[in-house]
Amino acid sequence: MRQFVNNFRKYTYLLGQLVKKNIKLRYRRSYLGMLWTMIEPLLTMIVLTIVFGNLLGRDKTDAAFQGVPFPLYVLTGRLLYSFFSSATNNAMKSIRSNSAMIKKVYVPKYIYPFSGILANFLIFLISLVVLFGVMIFFLATGGYKAPMNGYMLLSVIPLLNLFILAMGIGLILATLCVFFRDVEYLWSVMLMLIMYCSAIFYFVDSMGAGTQKLIKLNPLFGVINNFRRAFFGQPFDMPLMAYTMAFAGVSLAVGLVMFYRKQDTFILNI
């Protein structure tokens, strides 16, 4: 552990440069650049509200989210899912995309997936400005009366949970993708399944009991649900919180062990 900490300190500057590189590459040749961090979720929220609002947003809602405007409900889910999707995809491809550097210079290889996830997390934090802006809009227009309380400050806990989950899954995918290139295509299908099981644009209480149990097995749903609860001034769903934190912790442990054991053979397969 001491060696790990010392190595991390030694390569902090490189980590910062890799984070900057990931952010710049994401918005390369874009006229609006970082503004897309705020424009994209806003446009997605509008589209999903138009498409699903009349079907799911008026007369059906979860008990914990009574009175929450449907666009705000959609935006909270979409922002967290977008981070998880982009972060895990970036981490999955990080070893292969940095193969030239890995072959020439020794650098702790965990730096590459970690820098990708950290870059996406910073972009995600910037995009939260849109969430606060939309909330202020509904408060100002009288469309929403938010219960301002201490629960809102606890919304950082699900965000930390989300970061750990993305890190664990990202390390697992980064390891597997070096040896099995098909993982990249399989993960794109899995992400679609995860999205539809995360209750981004529908309400879980409107589903049958069996379907609700299946949806709650998705750890990303638990993270999104508890973030929504805290952000909208409601207490956490503690069993769901315990499940998602345990899942994230186990994923991180498995990812670290897999990555550590296989990292010396990466150079032979990239």
Side-chain angles (χ1 to χ4, degrees):
M1 180 59 69
R2 182 179 298 176
Q3 184 180 359
F4 176 84
V5 173
N6 289 335
N7 276 340
F8 188 82
R9 289 177 178 175
K10 182 179 179 180
Y11 293 99
T12 300
Y13 176 78
L14 176 61
L15 175 63
Q17 294 303 308
L18 289 172
V19 169
K20 291 179 182 178
K21 172 190 170 186
N22 279 300
I23 295 175
K24 288 179 179 178
L25 286 176
R26 178 164 179 170
Y27 297 105
R28 183 176 55 182
R29 298 177 183 176
S30 170
Y31 288 108
L32 296 178
M34 287 291 290
L35 283 176
W36 279 113
T37 303
M38 292 177 279
I39 295 173
E40 189 274 337
L42 192 61
L43 293 177
T44 303
M45 178 200 74
I46 293 171
V47 170
L48 291 176
T49 300
I50 292 172
V51 174
F52 295 104
N54 291 332
L55 296 175
L56 304 174
R58 293 187 175 180
D59 56 350
K60 298 177 182 178
T61 184
D62 289 357
F65 308 121
Q66 292 286 344
V68 175
F70 188 68
L72 202 53
Y73 178 87
V74 168
L75 186 59
T76 50
R78 181 62 188 178
L79 285 173
L80 271 65
Y81 169 79
S82 293
F83 161 70
F84 179 79
S85 174
S86 58
T88 52
N89 269 317
N90 196 303
M92 177 175 61
K93 302 173 185 177
S94 61
I95 301 300
R96 287 168 48 198
S97 61
N98 290 283
S99 58
M101 186 181 295
I102 291 173
K103 291 176 181 178
K104 293 178 180 179
V105 182
Y106 171 76
V107 175
K109 297 176 182 63
Y110 66 82
I111 289 288
Y112 299 110
F114 183 65
S115 64
I117 293 171
L118 187 57
N120 280 280
F121 192 69
L122 292 176
I123 293 171
F124 164 68
L125 292 179
I126 294 172
S127 69
L128 289 178
V129 173
V130 178
L131 180 59
F132 286 103
V134 173
M135 187 173 188
I136 291 170
F137 169 79
F138 280 106
L139 288 171
T141 57
Y144 177 49
K145 295 182 179 179
M148 301 294 182
N149 54 42
Y151 289 120
M152 298 183 73
L153 299 177
L154 297 179
S155 58
V156 297
I157 297 176
L159 296 185
L160 179 61
N161 192 356
L162 178 64
F163 183 84
I164 295 172
L165 178 64
M167 189 66 192
I169 300 298
L171 286 172
I172 294 171
L173 291 172
T175 306
L176 292 176
C177 198
V178 171
F179 304 99
F180 309 103
R181 304 296 172 88
D182 293 340
V183 170
E184 184 176 335
Y185 306 103
L186 291 172
W187 184 241
S188 65
V189 176
M190 281 298 299
L191 280 174
M192 186 182 300
L193 178 62
I194 290 170
M195 181 187 71
Y196 285 112
C197 292
S198 295
I200 293 173
F201 46 78
Y202 62 85
F203 300 103
V204 177
D205 285 359
S206 63
M207 305 294 172
T211 305
Q212 289 186 37
K213 289 181 180 179
L214 288 175
I215 291 173
K216 289 180 180 180
L217 290 176
N218 174 15
L220 188 59
F221 163 76
V223 173
I224 291 173
N225 185 269
N226 274 315
F227 175 77
R228 281 170 169 159
R229 283 174 172 267
F231 190 75
F232 297 134
Q234 301 291 332
F236 288 138
D237 182 333
M238 294 308 297
L240 205 56
M241 173 66 76
Y243 169 70
T244 56
M245 293 185 74
F247 193 100
V250 171
S251 298
L252 182 59
V254 171
L256 287 170
V257 171
M258 285 181 61
F259 196 89
Y260 179 77
R261 289 184 176 180
K262 295 295 183 180
Q263 63 179 346
D264 292 335
T265 61
F266 286 169
I267 197 170
L268 302 175
N269 295 274
I270 55 178

